[in-house]
Each structure stands twice: as structure tokens, then as C-alpha cells.
Amino acid sequence: MEIHDPRQPSQFHGLRGLRGLRGLPGLRGLPRPRTRRTALLLTLTGAVGIGGAVVLVGALPHGDHPSPARPGTLATTAPAGSPGVAPSPGAPGIGDPLLPLDGNGGYTVSRYTLAFDWRAPRTRFDASTTISASATQALSRFDLDFAGNTLHSVTVDDVPAGTTRDGDELVVTPAKPIPQGGAFTVRVTYTADPTQQRHRGDAIGDYGWVPTPDGTVLYPQPDGAKMIFPANDHPSLRAPVTFLITTPPGVSAVANGRLVERAPRPDGRVLWTYDSEQPVAAQLVQMAIGKFTFVESTGPHGLPVRDAVPGDLVNGTKAYRSLTPEHLAWLEQRLGPYPFRRYGVLVGDTDLPVALESQSLSLVPKGDLQGDRVDAERDLVHELTHQWTGDSVAIRRWSDLWLSEGHARFYERLYSEAHGGDSIESAMRAAYEQHDQWRHDEGAPAEPRTEAALFKQVRYDGSALVLYALREKVGEGTFEKIERSWVTKYQGRVAGTQDFVALASEAAGEDLKPFLTPWLYGDRTPPMPGHPDW
């Protein structure tokens, strides 16, 4: 996500997980897949062992798996399928200190299937979400993050389940407990409201559904996906997504990943099927509907590039959109190969103040592409950088957001310096002069004071300043080695601040923890290496 300071091919996995979707208007006649139950090895990562048999659960995941029980409780571990393990409720959140109810415990998601029966702008419509999951504990009940409107039905393995809504938590009680290691399928039908939004007092502003003149785009960051579909919503938790979007004739749909099929229906409506191809965090899901023109080009090494542009904005945004192959090549020189199978820019016909790095399809408001070239390229390079840092390398907890936004701002500034913008040194000096105040008001880069301070300026230029200080400390050559190692080692994985410190130390051949700790956590900004006059 971008704000300014004041100025190879995957095999589609079919339509697994579509059980029960045949009843959704516009989706009748779809194949009905079979259910498979498999025993999965339970992996308890990031837990604290006690005597080899008891773990403290409810802590943040060390990888892509949520904790298996309610925060602060003790649970005895046992192999998947072991008899005598009493079912218990899954945790209502994974225990992130800033947003403790984000995500859920007791299961992992293997795929989402999102079915939207779109009708007209700002008009409610039928929707369903099918979640294929595996239990990481014996579950008596489990939570979904869901803040949508009218709930119609919930089934677990085609059997009606009990439900309770507790704020943004949808508590699901299956007819029978789910055994540890068991695969299960949840289907939720509901009414989607494409006007539903919430507001934040930081850079993001309004988020959730974002209406456009002829449809919608999505802005789920940071935890707005729950307004769009029931999810396991934390940036460390990812799963592939299948999109089934039915639109009226003459209206297009676009989503993360690959267009698998565009199928006209007998009633004249059109079913669009997309596959995200790779796991995606809920906050990076994109689904847009409108009268789009699809503009295709090719990036480095034959990478497919496809922009989705409202028809009347194609010409007015072409000059800056056409720079994407150049931006890709520039970033690949510094960060290595682009980490996904395709890329594109989704032009939002909206007055959103910010862009969004939705995975493989960055949302960029039209105004960002119709003004000054330097500013436009800063936005475009920022969101593209996120595909490496924030999308491919996901953050472990919200306090690690500096790793995502700081990297995007750093490379945006570095690119701009070479393409008509201010020098990175002058930008970083300006940030240095404000850094103590930012730390006081918003917390240190890796230690936000509150959830409300997440997307404040210290997470942007303030965090880029940490990377700049590191480069000044170790030199450009070693810094480039650190950066390439970071996005290579953790490609497709979850990583956090301590992982970065350890990797930087290894790449530099020296312990950088004493240097980076005050930059990341201190109350005062340390001296800038090489700049005693700052």
C-alpha cells in the first residue's frame, strides 16, 4: 500500500471445494466434486514445548499455520487421529498483539472458493464462500472472521451447522466434532453488500468494498476481507483462491491470478473463473467488476502482463501503465526474478487516496496515473516492490509491517532518484529530521504503539530510513546481498523482524543486532552512519 509524505504456469486445481454451490443463482449446473478426507501431519510451529508433550498455544504462527487453541491455554499434543483427544474450541484469533482476533485457531485453510452473483452497482447480491480446511486439533467449534451482512446458511461437510455471531467472529459449531488432522469443508451463504466499508484514521482511510460507477474494486487491507467473505484473516495466513464471478452481459470481472474460463450462461449472464495460482493472504485478495478493457503486454522473460482498465481511461493512463516492463526489469536487477506467474495494474475508477498491492494485480486509483510522471512512477514501483516484499515474503505479525512498507518505500525512492525525482539522500535526511517525533507519536518502526498507528508515516519513510541506515553501515554491495538473500530465502514464506536481523547478520558476516535493534525499537533515532552532520 502506497502513501506519499506530504508532497511455471501452475496447473489449475479444478473446481474443488464447490460442494453445494449448484444452488447459487447463476451457478447451477457446475460439476459436483467428491469429498476427500486425508490425515495430515500436524505441525506445531512457533509453539513453546513443555516437557516434550505440552505446548503453549495461541501464540503467533512461525510459518503459515495458525495456533491450534484459544490463546493462553495449555493443550496436550497427540498425533493426528489419536484416540482420546477431547474436542475443544478453536481460538478466535491467533493472538497478534496489535489485532488479537485476526485469524483463527484450530485449522488451516487449503483453498477458498468465492462465488459472487453480481447484479448491479451498489446493489446487494447472493454470495457464497466454500472453505476447504484441515483441523490442527480436535475441534468442537471454530471461528471465521466475518463481518458481512445477512447470513443465510452454514454447513460443514454438507450438514447444517450451528452459528453464533460475536462481533466480527462467526462461531461455527459442526453437527459432529472434527477430529484432529481431519479434512473438512465449510460452506457459507450470505448476502454481499458492495457498499460496506469501514474507516481508519491513518493512510488507508476507507476500506472494504469500494464502489465504482459501474461496479466495484476491493480494498481489504488491513483486515477488511471479512466484509467481503468469511476468512482466516491475518497476513501470515495464506491459501489459494478460486473465484466464480457471475456478471451481466457487457460487464467484466477480474481477480488475482489466471483467467481459467469465461463461460456464457443460458440466461445471457457470464461466469468468470479465476485461479490465484499461488496462496494469497486475505488482505491481498482482489476482485473487480466493471466495464473493463484488458490490455496485454509482455514483461521480462516473457512474463504475461495484463492491465484491467475502465474503457474511458485506457488512453489517459497508457503512458504510465506502459512503463511496467521497465519497472519489472529494474526491480529484478536488485531483487531477483519476479516471484509470481503474471502481473498487471487494475485501474480503479475511484477517488481512493491510496493504491494497494493486491497479489499479482495492483490496484492503482486513476488519479495516480493521470498526473506527474515522477509521482506516478513512485506509486507504480512501490506497489510492484510489494510483490516481492509483503506479498511473496509475507509478514509474520502486524508489527513486522515495516518490512513490507519500508522496502516498498525504499525502492520507490531509489527508483525515483534515477528517474527525475529527489535524491534518496535528501528524502532520507528529511525523514531523519522527523523521526524522533514519529517515534514519539506512532512508535518505533518495528513497534507500533497501537493498531491505529500501523499505517502512519513511520512505517513508510521512517522504515525506509532503517534500510538506508543499514546500507550506510554495511555498504551497497553487502546491502544488495542482504536484499537478494531476503526475498530468495523467504520466497512464498512468512518471515518477521528477527528473521531479517539474523539473515542480514549472516550475509554481512557480522552481528547486526546491536546496530539494528535501536533503529527498529528505540525511543530515539540513532546516529546515521556516514552522516555526522545529520
Side-chain angles (χ1 to χ4, degrees):
M1 193 272 288
E2 160 75 344
I3 65 166
H4 283 315
D5 57 340
R7 304 221 172 180
Q8 29 187 33
S10 73
Q11 180 67 36
F12 177 60
H13 298 292
L15 298 180
R16 273 180 252 161
L18 306 190
R19 291 155 28 90
L21 290 178
R22 290 154 53 106
L24 189 68
L27 299 180
R28 295 180 180 88
L30 287 175
R32 187 179 185 88
R34 295 171 292 179
T35 300
R36 296 186 300 116
R37 285 191 170 271
T38 57
L40 301 179
L41 176 64
L42 173 63
T43 303
L44 292 175
T45 53
V48 180
I50 304 176
V54 178
V55 296
L56 178 66
V57 296
L60 284 159
H62 192 67
D64 287 333
H65 303 287
S67 57
R70 294 197 174 258
T73 62
L74 292 175
T76 302
T77 61
S82 295
V85 178
S88 60
I94 66 170
D96 190 305
L98 290 172
L99 287 161
L101 291 180
D102 277 12
N104 302 285
Y107 64 93
T108 58
V109 176
S110 58
R111 179 169 288 271
Y112 295 101
T113 299
L114 310 181
F116 297 115
D117 191 27
W118 176 267
R119 292 292 165 173
R122 300 179 179 271
T123 302
R124 297 183 180 188
F125 59 93
D126 289 337
S128 97
T129 294
T130 302
I131 301 172
S132 302
S134 299
T136 57
Q137 68 176 80
L139 281 171
S140 60
R141 67 172 188 257
F142 57 90
D143 285 26
L144 298 170
D145 299 313
F146 186 56
N149 295 101
T150 306
L151 179 68
H152 298 308
S153 67
V154 179
T155 62
V156 176
D157 291 334
D158 281 338
V159 178
T163 60
T164 301
R165 301 195 71 168
D166 182 8
D168 291 340
E169 298 294 313
L170 174 59
V171 184
V172 179
T173 303
K176 295 181 180 179
I178 300 169
Q180 181 176 321
F184 62 100
T185 301
V186 185
R187 181 176 180 252
V188 182
T189 65
Y190 56 101
T191 297
D193 180 358
T195 68
Q196 188 180 8
Q197 293 183 339
R198 291 183 179 177
H199 181 79
R200 293 179 58 86
D202 54 20
I204 287 178
D206 295 330
Y207 66 107
W209 294 92
V210 180
T212 62
D214 53 17
T216 190
V217 296
L218 301 184
Y219 202 105
Q221 195 178 61
D223 61 348
K226 60 193 174 191
M227 290 183 272
I228 299 154
F229 64 100
N232 201 12
D233 187 7
H234 187 270
S236 67
L237 305 176
R238 300 188 281 191
V241 183
T242 299
F243 301 85
L244 302 169
I245 308 164
T246 307
T247 65
V251 176
S252 301
V254 63
N256 309 82
R258 180 171 68 96
L259 175 62
V260 176
E261 185 180 27
R262 177 186 178 277
R265 311 292 294 176
D267 61 0
R269 292 167 62 76
V270 179
L271 175 61
W272 306 74
T273 302
Y274 284 87
D275 174 29
S276 70
E277 299 183 294
Q278 289 161 280
V280 56
Q283 66 153 343
L284 301 175
V285 165
Q286 184 56 255
M287 185 276 297
I289 295 169
K291 296 179 180 179
F292 292 119
T293 297
F294 295 99
V295 182
E296 298 186 359
S297 60
T298 303
H301 323 297
L303 180 77
V305 176
R306 182 196 57 186
D307 297 340
V309 191
D312 60 350
L313 296 174
V314 172
N315 293 332
T317 62
K318 179 180 178 181
Y320 302 151
R321 286 188 297 99
S322 65
L323 298 172
T324 293
E326 178 183 329
H327 298 158
L328 281 160
W330 187 88
L331 282 166
E332 285 196 338
Q333 289 175 359
R334 287 150 183 84
L335 297 175
Y338 174 74
F340 299 112
R341 297 186 179 97
R342 64 198 71 246
Y343 185 65
V345 171
L346 167 62
V347 178
D349 191 359
T350 166
D351 294 327
L352 271 177
V354 288
L356 178 67
E357 64 273 18
S358 25
Q359 188 166 301
S360 77
L361 183 68
S362 292
L363 169 63
V364 181
K366 61 183 178 181
D368 292 10
L369 300 170
Q370 295 176 317
D372 176 74
R373 173 168 174 161
V374 170
D375 289 343
E377 289 200 86
R378 281 183 58 188
D379 290 347
L380 290 165
V381 171
H382 183 107
E383 305 310 335
L384 182 54
T385 302
H386 272 305
Q387 304 301 315
W388 281 265
T389 62
D391 292 15
S392 176
V393 182
I395 59 173
R396 174 162 292 129
R397 64 182 71 197
W398 276 115
S399 59
D400 299 319
L401 183 64
W402 79 273
L403 283 165
S404 177
E405 297 299 348
H407 273 99
R409 178 53 56 87
F410 179 85
Y411 286 100
E412 161 204 334
R413 291 285 192 186
L414 198 62
Y415 180 92
S416 185
E417 176 182 60
H419 294 82
D422 294 337
S423 71
I424 191 169
E425 181 177 334
S426 65
M428 293 297 97
R429 181 163 188 170
Y432 189 84
E433 292 171 353
Q434 300 177 75
H435 217 265
D436 279 345
Q437 189 64 51
W438 289 342
R439 287 172 185 264
H440 176 271
D441 295 344
E442 303 156 8
E447 199 166 38
R449 292 198 183 283
T450 64
E451 171 268 335
L454 267 177
F455 291 89
K456 295 288 190 176
Q457 200 68 36
V458 71
R459 243 59 66 191
Y460 294 89
D461 280 299
S463 298
L465 187 68
V466 177
L467 297 173
Y468 182 81
L470 177 61
R471 191 179 72 161
E472 295 297 287
K473 165 73 172 174
V474 302
E476 289 190 22
T478 299
F479 179 78
E480 291 173 2
K481 179 181 178 182
I482 291 170
E483 293 293 277
R484 279 182 169 266
S485 298
W486 176 246
V487 297
T488 300
K489 178 176 181 177
Y490 290 104
Q491 181 174 344
R493 298 170 60 190
V494 171
T497 300
Q498 298 313 310
D499 297 309
F500 183 80
V501 173
L503 180 142
S505 298
E506 180 180 357
E510 63 174 302
D511 184 6
L512 291 170
K513 186 174 182 179
F515 173 76
L516 285 171
T517 297
W519 276 99
L520 292 167
Y521 298 104
D523 293 332
R524 299 295 302 273
T525 307
M528 177 61 69
H531 297 276
D533 56 321
W534 284 21

